[in-house]
mmCIF file of all heavy atoms in Angstrom:
data_model
loop_
_atom_site.group_PDB
_atom_site.id
_atom_site.type_symbol
_atom_site.label_atom_id
_atom_site.label_comp_id
_atom_site.label_asym_id
_atom_site.label_seq_id
_atom_site.Cartn_x
_atom_site.Cartn_y
_atom_site.Cartn_z
ATOM 1 N N THR A 1 88.622 67.172 199.885
ATOM 2 C CA THR A 1 89.342 68.310 200.465
ATOM 3 C C THR A 1 88.398 69.134 201.334
ATOM 4 O O THR A 1 88.729 69.498 202.469
ATOM 5 C CB THR A 1 89.942 69.195 199.362
ATOM 6 O OG1 THR A 1 90.873 68.415 198.607
ATOM 7 C CG2 THR A 1 90.631 70.420 199.937
ATOM 8 N N LEU A 2 87.210 69.395 200.821
ATOM 9 C CA LEU A 2 86.242 70.191 201.572
ATOM 10 C C LEU A 2 85.831 69.476 202.853
ATOM 11 O O LEU A 2 85.705 70.110 203.913
ATOM 12 C CB LEU A 2 85.026 70.487 200.688
ATOM 13 C CG LEU A 2 84.107 71.589 201.145
ATOM 14 C CD1 LEU A 2 84.857 72.890 201.395
ATOM 15 C CD2 LEU A 2 83.010 71.805 200.134
ATOM 16 N N ALA A 3 85.655 68.173 202.779
ATOM 17 C CA ALA A 3 85.303 67.413 203.989
ATOM 18 C C ALA A 3 86.393 67.538 205.044
ATOM 19 O O ALA A 3 86.101 67.680 206.242
ATOM 20 C CB ALA A 3 85.060 65.947 203.629
ATOM 21 N N ARG A 4 87.654 67.516 204.611
ATOM 22 C CA ARG A 4 88.763 67.693 205.575
ATOM 23 C C ARG A 4 88.753 69.105 206.148
ATOM 24 O O ARG A 4 89.031 69.304 207.328
ATOM 25 C CB ARG A 4 90.101 67.409 204.903
ATOM 26 C CG ARG A 4 90.364 65.944 204.674
ATOM 27 C CD ARG A 4 91.815 65.654 204.324
ATOM 28 N NE ARG A 4 92.344 66.468 203.253
ATOM 29 C CZ ARG A 4 92.410 66.112 201.976
ATOM 30 N NH1 ARG A 4 91.979 64.930 201.592
ATOM 31 N NH2 ARG A 4 92.927 66.918 201.067
ATOM 32 N N ARG A 5 88.466 70.094 205.325
ATOM 33 C CA ARG A 5 88.456 71.482 205.789
ATOM 34 C C ARG A 5 87.311 71.746 206.763
ATOM 35 O O ARG A 5 87.422 72.609 207.630
ATOM 36 C CB ARG A 5 88.311 72.449 204.616
ATOM 37 C CG ARG A 5 89.362 72.343 203.539
ATOM 38 C CD ARG A 5 90.712 72.819 204.031
ATOM 39 N NE ARG A 5 91.625 73.020 202.929
ATOM 40 C CZ ARG A 5 92.667 72.246 202.661
ATOM 41 N NH1 ARG A 5 92.936 71.205 203.401
ATOM 42 N NH2 ARG A 5 93.453 72.513 201.644
ATOM 43 N N LEU A 6 86.215 71.013 206.618
ATOM 44 C CA LEU A 6 85.028 71.269 207.442
ATOM 45 C C LEU A 6 84.824 70.236 208.544
ATOM 46 O O LEU A 6 83.773 70.199 209.169
ATOM 47 C CB LEU A 6 83.778 71.341 206.547
ATOM 48 C CG LEU A 6 83.801 72.445 205.494
ATOM 49 C CD1 LEU A 6 82.512 72.436 204.695
ATOM 50 C CD2 LEU A 6 84.056 73.800 206.110
ATOM 51 N N HIS A 7 85.838 69.407 208.798
ATOM 52 C CA HIS A 7 85.762 68.449 209.900
ATOM 53 C C HIS A 7 85.570 69.247 211.185
ATOM 54 O O HIS A 7 86.237 70.254 211.404
ATOM 55 C CB HIS A 7 87.056 67.625 209.953
ATOM 56 C CG HIS A 7 86.961 66.470 210.874
ATOM 57 N ND1 HIS A 7 87.193 66.579 212.221
ATOM 58 C CD2 HIS A 7 86.647 65.174 210.641
ATOM 59 C CE1 HIS A 7 87.039 65.395 212.780
ATOM 60 N NE2 HIS A 7 86.702 64.528 211.843
ATOM 61 N N LEU A 8 84.648 68.812 212.042
ATOM 62 C CA LEU A 8 84.291 69.637 213.198
ATOM 63 C C LEU A 8 85.219 69.508 214.396
ATOM 64 O O LEU A 8 85.212 70.358 215.273
ATOM 65 C CB LEU A 8 82.850 69.344 213.620
ATOM 66 C CG LEU A 8 81.810 69.819 212.612
ATOM 67 C CD1 LEU A 8 80.413 69.447 213.073
ATOM 68 C CD2 LEU A 8 81.921 71.313 212.374
ATOM 69 N N ARG A 9 86.039 68.477 214.456
ATOM 70 C CA ARG A 9 86.960 68.359 215.588
ATOM 71 C C ARG A 9 88.379 68.748 215.228
ATOM 72 O O ARG A 9 89.061 69.393 216.009
ATOM 73 C CB ARG A 9 86.942 66.940 216.138
ATOM 74 C CG ARG A 9 85.729 66.686 216.984
ATOM 75 C CD ARG A 9 85.929 65.462 217.819
ATOM 76 N NE ARG A 9 84.947 64.465 217.400
ATOM 77 C CZ ARG A 9 84.967 63.224 217.763
ATOM 78 N NH1 ARG A 9 85.916 62.764 218.528
ATOM 79 N NH2 ARG A 9 84.038 62.403 217.357
ATOM 80 N N ARG A 10 88.844 68.320 214.066
ATOM 81 C CA ARG A 10 90.225 68.603 213.672
ATOM 82 C C ARG A 10 90.273 68.990 212.200
ATOM 83 O O ARG A 10 90.808 68.260 211.377
ATOM 84 C CB ARG A 10 91.104 67.383 213.934
ATOM 85 C CG ARG A 10 91.139 67.030 215.416
ATOM 86 C CD ARG A 10 92.061 65.898 215.689
ATOM 87 N NE ARG A 10 93.428 66.373 215.532
ATOM 88 C CZ ARG A 10 94.477 65.595 215.505
ATOM 89 N NH1 ARG A 10 94.335 64.296 215.591
ATOM 90 N NH2 ARG A 10 95.688 66.085 215.373
ATOM 91 N N PRO A 11 89.713 70.143 211.874
ATOM 92 C CA PRO A 11 89.708 70.540 210.462
ATOM 93 C C PRO A 11 91.093 70.977 209.991
ATOM 94 O O PRO A 11 91.869 71.541 210.749
ATOM 95 C CB PRO A 11 88.750 71.727 210.440
ATOM 96 C CG PRO A 11 88.845 72.306 211.811
ATOM 97 C CD PRO A 11 89.079 71.129 212.724
ATOM 98 N N ALA A 12 91.358 70.685 208.731
ATOM 99 C CA ALA A 12 92.542 71.254 208.092
ATOM 100 C C ALA A 12 92.172 72.688 207.757
ATOM 101 O O ALA A 12 91.056 72.958 207.315
ATOM 102 C CB ALA A 12 92.877 70.465 206.829
ATOM 103 N N GLY A 13 93.040 73.619 208.010
ATOM 104 C CA GLY A 13 92.722 75.022 207.781
ATOM 105 C C GLY A 13 92.416 75.330 206.316
ATOM 106 O O GLY A 13 92.966 74.704 205.410
ATOM 107 N N LEU A 14 91.531 76.269 206.112
ATOM 108 C CA LEU A 14 91.191 76.738 204.768
ATOM 109 C C LEU A 14 92.262 77.680 204.249
ATOM 110 O O LEU A 14 92.841 78.448 205.017
ATOM 111 C CB LEU A 14 89.872 77.511 204.803
ATOM 112 C CG LEU A 14 88.603 76.722 205.053
ATOM 113 C CD1 LEU A 14 87.486 77.675 205.442
ATOM 114 C CD2 LEU A 14 88.225 75.940 203.821
ATOM 115 N N THR A 15 92.475 77.660 202.956
ATOM 116 C CA THR A 15 93.315 78.687 202.349
ATOM 117 C C THR A 15 92.453 79.933 202.143
ATOM 118 O O THR A 15 91.214 79.866 202.184
ATOM 119 C CB THR A 15 93.875 78.236 200.992
ATOM 120 O OG1 THR A 15 92.794 78.121 200.061
ATOM 121 C CG2 THR A 15 94.637 76.912 201.100
ATOM 122 N N VAL A 16 93.087 81.053 201.896
ATOM 123 C CA VAL A 16 92.348 82.288 201.633
ATOM 124 C C VAL A 16 91.496 82.118 200.381
ATOM 125 O O VAL A 16 90.335 82.539 200.339
ATOM 126 C CB VAL A 16 93.316 83.489 201.489
ATOM 127 C CG1 VAL A 16 92.578 84.729 201.028
ATOM 128 C CG2 VAL A 16 94.027 83.742 202.803
ATOM 129 N N ASP A 17 92.054 81.479 199.350
ATOM 130 C CA ASP A 17 91.287 81.251 198.118
ATOM 131 C C ASP A 17 90.062 80.377 198.380
ATOM 132 O O ASP A 17 88.981 80.641 197.850
ATOM 133 C CB ASP A 17 92.164 80.610 197.045
ATOM 134 C CG ASP A 17 93.190 81.569 196.470
ATOM 135 O OD1 ASP A 17 93.000 82.804 196.590
ATOM 136 O OD2 ASP A 17 94.185 81.089 195.902
ATOM 137 N N GLU A 18 90.219 79.342 199.197
ATOM 138 C CA GLU A 18 89.084 78.473 199.522
ATOM 139 C C GLU A 18 88.026 79.239 200.313
ATOM 140 O O GLU A 18 86.822 79.110 200.040
ATOM 141 C CB GLU A 18 89.547 77.258 200.318
ATOM 142 C CG GLU A 18 90.355 76.270 199.501
ATOM 143 C CD GLU A 18 91.049 75.214 200.327
ATOM 144 O OE1 GLU A 18 91.255 75.413 201.552
ATOM 145 O OE2 GLU A 18 91.404 74.182 199.736
ATOM 146 N N LEU A 19 88.458 80.031 201.283
ATOM 147 C CA LEU A 19 87.513 80.826 202.065
ATOM 148 C C LEU A 19 86.738 81.779 201.166
ATOM 149 O O LEU A 19 85.514 81.902 201.280
ATOM 150 C CB LEU A 19 88.246 81.611 203.156
ATOM 151 C CG LEU A 19 87.356 82.480 204.039
ATOM 152 C CD1 LEU A 19 86.419 81.628 204.885
ATOM 153 C CD2 LEU A 19 88.208 83.377 204.922
ATOM 154 N N ASN A 20 87.431 82.437 200.253
ATOM 155 C CA ASN A 20 86.757 83.354 199.327
ATOM 156 C C ASN A 20 85.785 82.617 198.416
ATOM 157 O O ASN A 20 84.684 83.115 198.145
ATOM 158 C CB ASN A 20 87.776 84.137 198.504
ATOM 159 C CG ASN A 20 88.407 85.250 199.300
ATOM 160 O OD1 ASN A 20 87.786 85.850 200.165
ATOM 161 N ND2 ASN A 20 89.671 85.531 199.030
ATOM 162 N N ALA A 21 86.162 81.432 197.934
ATOM 163 C CA ALA A 21 85.270 80.645 197.074
ATOM 164 C C ALA A 21 84.024 80.211 197.837
ATOM 165 O O ALA A 21 82.902 80.279 197.313
ATOM 166 C CB ALA A 21 86.008 79.428 196.521
ATOM 167 N N ILE A 22 84.207 79.790 199.083
ATOM 168 C CA ILE A 22 83.070 79.361 199.901
ATOM 169 C C ILE A 22 82.157 80.542 200.193
ATOM 170 O O ILE A 22 80.928 80.448 200.061
ATOM 171 C CB ILE A 22 83.561 78.690 201.196
ATOM 172 C CG1 ILE A 22 84.219 77.344 200.853
ATOM 173 C CG2 ILE A 22 82.427 78.515 202.202
ATOM 174 C CD1 ILE A 22 84.992 76.720 201.997
ATOM 175 N N ALA A 23 82.742 81.666 200.581
ATOM 176 C CA ALA A 23 81.941 82.859 200.856
ATOM 177 C C ALA A 23 81.163 83.272 199.602
ATOM 178 O O ALA A 23 79.982 83.615 199.685
ATOM 179 C CB ALA A 23 82.836 83.995 201.339
ATOM 180 N N GLY A 24 81.824 83.227 198.449
ATOM 181 C CA GLY A 24 81.146 83.580 197.209
ATOM 182 C C GLY A 24 79.993 82.648 196.906
ATOM 183 O O GLY A 24 78.906 83.091 196.512
ATOM 184 N N ALA A 25 80.197 81.349 197.076
ATOM 185 C CA ALA A 25 79.138 80.377 196.812
ATOM 186 C C ALA A 25 77.956 80.569 197.760
ATOM 187 O O ALA A 25 76.801 80.392 197.370
ATOM 188 C CB ALA A 25 79.687 78.962 196.935
ATOM 189 N N LEU A 26 78.261 80.945 199.001
ATOM 190 C CA LEU A 26 77.211 81.153 200.002
ATOM 191 C C LEU A 26 76.645 82.574 199.966
ATOM 192 O O LEU A 26 75.707 82.885 200.699
ATOM 193 C CB LEU A 26 77.744 80.843 201.401
ATOM 194 C CG LEU A 26 78.151 79.388 201.632
ATOM 195 C CD1 LEU A 26 78.785 79.235 203.011
ATOM 196 C CD2 LEU A 26 76.958 78.454 201.479
ATOM 197 N N ASP A 27 77.228 83.420 199.139
ATOM 198 C CA ASP A 27 76.807 84.813 198.996
ATOM 199 C C ASP A 27 76.857 85.562 200.326
ATOM 200 O O ASP A 27 75.911 86.238 200.710
ATOM 201 C CB ASP A 27 75.423 84.896 198.363
ATOM 202 C CG ASP A 27 75.135 86.282 197.790
ATOM 203 O OD1 ASP A 27 76.105 87.018 197.491
ATOM 204 O OD2 ASP A 27 73.949 86.642 197.657
ATOM 205 N N VAL A 28 77.978 85.377 201.036
ATOM 206 C CA VAL A 28 78.235 86.122 202.266
ATOM 207 C C VAL A 28 79.640 86.703 202.171
ATOM 208 O O VAL A 28 80.475 86.210 201.419
ATOM 209 C CB VAL A 28 78.126 85.242 203.537
ATOM 210 C CG1 VAL A 28 76.731 84.690 203.697
ATOM 211 C CG2 VAL A 28 79.151 84.123 203.545
ATOM 212 N N ALA A 29 79.893 87.733 202.929
ATOM 213 C CA ALA A 29 81.244 88.292 202.993
ATOM 214 C C ALA A 29 82.140 87.309 203.734
ATOM 215 O O ALA A 29 81.701 86.659 204.695
ATOM 216 C CB ALA A 29 81.223 89.636 203.722
ATOM 217 N N PRO A 30 83.399 87.161 203.318
ATOM 218 C CA PRO A 30 84.304 86.252 204.030
ATOM 219 C C PRO A 30 84.380 86.538 205.528
ATOM 220 O O PRO A 30 84.500 85.619 206.330
ATOM 221 C CB PRO A 30 85.658 86.482 203.348
ATOM 222 C CG PRO A 30 85.310 86.965 201.979
ATOM 223 C CD PRO A 30 84.047 87.767 202.151
ATOM 224 N N GLY A 31 84.272 87.801 205.911
ATOM 225 C CA GLY A 31 84.326 88.165 207.324
ATOM 226 C C GLY A 31 83.218 87.537 208.146
ATOM 227 O O GLY A 31 83.397 87.273 209.333
ATOM 228 N N VAL A 32 82.070 87.274 207.528
ATOM 229 C CA VAL A 32 80.970 86.620 208.231
ATOM 230 C C VAL A 32 81.395 85.231 208.690
ATOM 231 O O VAL A 32 81.026 84.784 209.767
ATOM 232 C CB VAL A 32 79.712 86.538 207.324
ATOM 233 C CG1 VAL A 32 78.642 85.642 207.921
ATOM 234 C CG2 VAL A 32 79.156 87.936 207.076
ATOM 235 N N LEU A 33 82.202 84.568 207.881
ATOM 236 C CA LEU A 33 82.663 83.222 208.228
ATOM 237 C C LEU A 33 83.811 83.252 209.223
ATOM 238 O O LEU A 33 84.050 82.272 209.920
ATOM 239 C CB LEU A 33 83.075 82.471 206.962
ATOM 240 C CG LEU A 33 81.984 82.355 205.899
ATOM 241 C CD1 LEU A 33 82.533 81.699 204.643
ATOM 242 C CD2 LEU A 33 80.772 81.614 206.431
ATOM 243 N N LEU A 34 84.505 84.377 209.302
ATOM 244 C CA LEU A 34 85.645 84.487 210.209
ATOM 245 C C LEU A 34 85.271 84.972 211.598
ATOM 246 O O LEU A 34 85.973 84.694 212.563
ATOM 247 C CB LEU A 34 86.688 85.445 209.620
ATOM 248 C CG LEU A 34 87.409 84.957 208.379
ATOM 249 C CD1 LEU A 34 88.274 86.074 207.814
ATOM 250 C CD2 LEU A 34 88.238 83.732 208.695
ATOM 251 N N HIS A 35 84.172 85.710 211.704
ATOM 252 C CA HIS A 35 83.790 86.317 212.982
ATOM 253 C C HIS A 35 82.510 85.706 213.502
ATOM 254 O O HIS A 35 81.661 85.293 212.734
ATOM 255 C CB HIS A 35 83.616 87.829 212.826
ATOM 256 C CG HIS A 35 84.853 88.499 212.348
ATOM 257 N ND1 HIS A 35 85.957 88.668 213.145
ATOM 258 C CD2 HIS A 35 85.180 89.014 211.147
ATOM 259 C CE1 HIS A 35 86.905 89.276 212.457
ATOM 260 N NE2 HIS A 35 86.466 89.484 211.238
ATOM 261 N N ASP A 36 82.367 85.694 214.821
ATOM 262 C CA ASP A 36 81.181 85.121 215.451
ATOM 263 C C ASP A 36 80.023 86.095 215.333
ATOM 264 O O ASP A 36 79.793 86.924 216.194
ATOM 265 C CB ASP A 36 81.471 84.796 216.923
ATOM 266 C CG ASP A 36 80.370 83.942 217.529
ATOM 267 O OD1 ASP A 36 79.540 83.410 216.769
ATOM 268 O OD2 ASP A 36 80.356 83.822 218.755
ATOM 269 N N ASP A 37 79.321 85.971 214.228
ATOM 270 C CA ASP A 37 78.165 86.827 213.951
ATOM 271 C C ASP A 37 77.038 85.918 213.510
ATOM 272 O O ASP A 37 76.737 85.787 212.333
ATOM 273 C CB ASP A 37 78.511 87.850 212.850
ATOM 274 C CG ASP A 37 77.355 88.778 212.528
ATOM 275 O OD1 ASP A 37 76.363 88.768 213.287
ATOM 276 O OD2 ASP A 37 77.449 89.497 211.530
ATOM 277 N N ARG A 38 76.433 85.243 214.459
ATOM 278 C CA ARG A 38 75.419 84.243 214.135
ATOM 279 C C ARG A 38 74.284 84.817 213.312
ATOM 280 O O ARG A 38 73.780 84.174 212.414
ATOM 281 C CB ARG A 38 74.876 83.603 215.395
ATOM 282 C CG ARG A 38 75.905 82.741 216.060
ATOM 283 C CD ARG A 38 75.404 82.191 217.362
ATOM 284 N NE ARG A 38 76.533 81.667 218.092
ATOM 285 C CZ ARG A 38 76.633 80.407 218.459
ATOM 286 N NH1 ARG A 38 75.708 79.560 218.186
ATOM 287 N NH2 ARG A 38 77.692 80.005 219.115
ATOM 288 N N ASP A 39 73.868 86.042 213.606
ATOM 289 C CA ASP A 39 72.783 86.637 212.831
ATOM 290 C C ASP A 39 73.213 86.833 211.387
ATOM 291 O O ASP A 39 72.463 86.550 210.464
ATOM 292 C CB ASP A 39 72.344 87.972 213.438
ATOM 293 C CG ASP A 39 71.704 87.780 214.793
ATOM 294 O OD1 ASP A 39 71.132 86.696 215.032
ATOM 295 O OD2 ASP A 39 71.779 88.711 215.608
ATOM 296 N N GLY A 40 74.430 87.312 211.166
ATOM 297 C CA GLY A 40 74.911 87.523 209.806
ATOM 298 C C GLY A 40 75.114 86.231 209.055
ATOM 299 O O GLY A 40 74.837 86.133 207.868
ATOM 300 N N ALA A 41 75.571 85.189 209.741
ATOM 301 C CA ALA A 41 75.818 83.911 209.089
ATOM 302 C C ALA A 41 74.539 83.211 208.712
ATOM 303 O O ALA A 41 74.469 82.498 207.735
ATOM 304 C CB ALA A 41 76.673 83.009 209.984
#
């Protein structure tokens, strides 16, 4: 499932729960993953 979500050409969209889980695992705010903030990411 994660591989499909992170495919670089045609990813299946993440659910809000998945985005929150990923952000939590990476110890970043979900907004960092949603917005183009290369320094923050």
Side-chain angles (χ1 to χ4, degrees):
T1 299
L2 196 54
R4 285 194 309 264
R5 303 291 194 251
L6 299 181
H7 191 276
L8 292 178
R9 282 197 244 169
R10 298 184 72 191
L14 290 164
T15 67
V16 172
D17 288 339
E18 290 168 340
L19 180 66
N20 283 327
I22 291 168
L26 296 175
D27 198 23
V28 298
V32 169
L33 303 175
L34 291 173
H35 301 288
D36 192 13
D37 181 11
R38 291 176 194 240
D39 293 332

